[in-house]
Amino acid sequence: MANDTVVDTGALISWPISKLIGSIASPKQKKELGKFYPERLEIINAIDIIWRTPKLESINNVINIGKNTGDIAGLSPVDIELLALAFENNYVLFTDDYRMQNLAEFIGIKWYVIETEGIKEVWSWEIVCKGCKKIQPDPKSPLMRKNLGDCRDCGSEVKLRRKK
Ligand SMILES: [Zn+2]
């Protein structure tokens, strides 16, 4: 794999070793592996994986966006770190976790599945005014999505809501 690939623990466990070389992962995953797959960790430790911790700012960004999309409750600290790594470095994320895929899609992180068929349905969002209930124009960039602003019509606070 190229050096711009973040792998979740499922990939660390199931991918052929040759495919994992050069991948990026969180040091927290070592603990996970050590606990549940100690023999696999020995192999993983012997190959060239880039263990990297994301910046606190990126972690907080992912948490805030996850709160908005409603995905945060299903994400572990490891999941959040992997999303933050992909987010801050523009890496590609490999995961079979639907919530991670969903949040990655929303943030604008490119993602691929590890082995399943992947996300069945990508949720989409709309921004709605808490005051006049009017639907607001969809911000195109992830940066704009972090700061949704106020209603264009009445100036009230807006919120993100999942499209039905
Ligand atoms: Zn309004």
Side-chain angles (χ1 to χ4, degrees), residues 77-107:
V78 172
D79 298 339
I80 292 166
E81 282 209 5
L82 296 178
L83 284 160
L85 276 173
F87 175 64
E88 74 182 17
N89 298 295
N90 223 1
Y91 292 147
V92 172
L93 175 67
F94 278 82
T95 180
D96 284 342
D97 183 290
Y98 286 71
R99 285 186 180 272
M100 286 176 77
Q101 291 167 355
N102 204 52
L103 201 48
E105 188 73 29
F106 187 78
I107 298 172

Side-chain angles (χ1 to χ4, degrees), residues 129-134 136 151-158:
C129 173
K130 286 182 178 172
C132 69
K133 314 286 181 204
K134 267 191 197 152
Q136 306 291 305
C151 175
R152 289 190 179 184
D153 295 305
C154 74
S156 300
E157 216 180 316
V158 296

Side-chain angles (χ1 to χ4, degrees), residues 40-108:
R40 182 70 177 179
L41 179 61
E42 274 182 41
I43 300 168
I44 294 286
N45 273 333
I47 63 168
D48 190 14
I49 288 195
I50 303 158
W51 303 100
R52 192 170 289 173
T53 302
K55 291 180 202 138
L56 189 59
E57 191 195 346
S58 311
I59 292 174
N60 287 336
N61 275 336
V62 169
I63 290 172
N64 285 335
I65 299 169
K67 279 181 188 163
N68 265 330
T69 64
D71 291 309
I72 198 72
L75 295 175
S76 71
V78 172
D79 298 339
I80 292 166
E81 282 209 5
L82 296 178
L83 284 160
L85 276 173
F87 175 64
E88 74 182 17
N89 298 295
N90 223 1
Y91 292 147
V92 172
L93 175 67
F94 278 82
T95 180
D96 284 342
D97 183 290
Y98 286 71
R99 285 186 180 272
M100 286 176 77
Q101 291 167 355
N102 204 52
L103 201 48
E105 188 73 29
F106 187 78
I107 298 172

Side-chain angles (χ1 to χ4, degrees), residues 1-7 11-12 15-25 40 43-50:
M1 276 285 146
N3 296 355
D4 59 355
T5 301
V6 177
V7 288
L12 287 177
W15 271 6
I17 289 301
S18 59
K19 200 176 170 185
L20 282 170
I21 293 170
S23 297
I24 297 137
R40 182 70 177 179
I43 300 168
I44 294 286
N45 273 333
I47 63 168
D48 190 14
I49 288 195
I50 303 158

